[in-house]
Amino acid sequence: YHDVYATAAPTCSGITEQVSAIAMKQKLNRLIEIGFLPSDDAALRLKKVALTLLPLIIGAAALVWGAIFFLLGRPLAGAIPMAYWVLSVGALVYYLKTKKTAFLEYGQLLLVLVLPFLLMWSLGGFSGGSVVMIWALFAPVSALMFSEKRVALRWLLAFFILLLISGMIDDTVASAAVPLPRLARDIFYVLNLGCASAGLFLLVSYSINVEKRAIEELERAQKEVLAAKAARPQRVFGDI
């Protein structure tokens, strides 16, 4: 009996984990698709997916980052990600109620682009801020998903301009800021690079899956139309 239980227990545990993962994915899908309307085409749905995922991904990190900075005695640094979280929650609620994307779109792109640089400057530049500006890359990548290419290029150009400014003022902000402990800076290096990379991968991969589903639905609809036409009785020439 003991051997049977020992063999079955890991199997049951694995099944439970799979069920939990599926349930969590379904909840995430429902949350992301709340803003969908029946009249939305594939491009608009892809845009809404990116707009919903963006504050969910960065907002979770911002909440944690802000709390840590407050605990480390850096209220200004903590207030910046917290401000993003508060503003994003408000914008997301407005979008889910009205289904209008303009306010959320431009607000998110601006906040995601500017606030990581402000946070990095408040912490003392590239080294002192553990390259937290890497999160600003979400702005041009997201813009590429739901805007025209030329619009996304403008956001990328703005990112490079802020990057150039950061290099020019790095020594100034480094001398003005009280540095974080070395261990904290090293941990934030790993967190910023690792979490930002994972977040970008999640954003892009989920959006690609939505686009694939839309294409599959369109192909299925086209096949159904063709099948319906083929099933219609063919009229013979001369029949009355």
Side-chain angles (χ1 to χ4, degrees):
Y1 173 78
H2 177 73
D3 292 339
V4 174
Y5 177 78
T7 304
T11 304
C12 294
S13 176
I15 294 174
T16 302
E17 290 177 358
Q18 291 178 1
V19 171
S20 299
I22 293 172
M24 184 176 297
K25 185 177 180 179
Q26 290 175 342
K27 290 180 180 178
L28 178 61
N29 289 339
R30 285 197 296 269
L31 176 61
I32 291 173
E33 294 174 2
I34 287 177
F36 286 5
L37 292 173
S39 58
D40 293 344
D41 58 17
L44 185 53
R45 289 195 175 194
L46 179 60
K47 177 178 181 177
K48 288 184 174 182
V49 166
L51 281 174
T52 309
L53 275 177
L54 189 60
L56 290 178
I57 293 172
I58 302 182
L63 194 60
V64 175
W65 267 234
I68 294 175
F69 287 133
F70 275 113
L71 290 175
L72 291 174
R74 302 294 192 277
L76 176 59
I80 293 173
M82 286 295 188
Y84 170 82
W85 184 80
V86 171
L87 293 172
S88 295
V89 169
L92 193 57
V93 170
Y94 174 80
Y95 156 70
L96 293 176
K97 285 185 176 181
T98 64
K99 308 297 188 293
K100 297 178 180 179
T101 61
F103 179 73
L104 181 62
E105 176 181 348
Y106 294 107
Q108 278 298 299
L109 291 177
L110 185 61
L111 290 173
V112 170
L113 178 68
V114 175
L115 292 188
F117 281 98
L118 292 179
L119 177 57
M120 185 179 73
W121 298 341
S122 72
L123 291 170
F126 288 104
S127 179
S130 305
V131 293
V132 70
M133 37 61 60
I134 193 70
W135 290 93
L137 271 174
F138 274 87
V141 172
S142 300
L144 190 60
M145 292 180 180
F146 50 71
S147 298
E148 297 178 2
K149 186 177 180 180
R150 60 183 179 82
V151 176
L153 286 174
R154 291 174 186 169
W155 288 100
L156 183 61
L157 177 61
F159 172 83
F160 282 128
I161 291 173
L162 289 173
L163 197 62
L164 178 61
I165 293 173
S166 298
M168 295 171 62
I169 66 173
D170 192 61
D171 290 340
T172 302
V173 295
S175 60
V178 178
L180 291 171
R182 177 62 182 273
L183 178 60
R185 294 202 306 271
D186 290 344
I187 292 174
F188 272 116
Y189 263 118
V190 176
L191 289 176
N192 287 326
L193 294 174
C195 292
S197 300
L200 280 171
F201 178 82
L202 175 62
L203 178 65
V204 173
S205 62
Y206 194 97
S207 299
I208 290 175
N209 288 335
V210 170
E211 187 175 15
K212 285 181 178 179
R213 289 204 305 268
I215 294 173
E216 290 172 358
E217 289 177 1
L218 179 60
E219 291 177 347
R220 185 165 55 251
Q222 290 174 342
K223 289 179 180 178
E224 290 175 356
V225 171
L226 292 175
K229 288 182 178 179
R232 290 176 184 172
Q234 299 296 321
R235 296 188 61 184
V236 180
F237 180 75
D239 285 354
I240 299 177

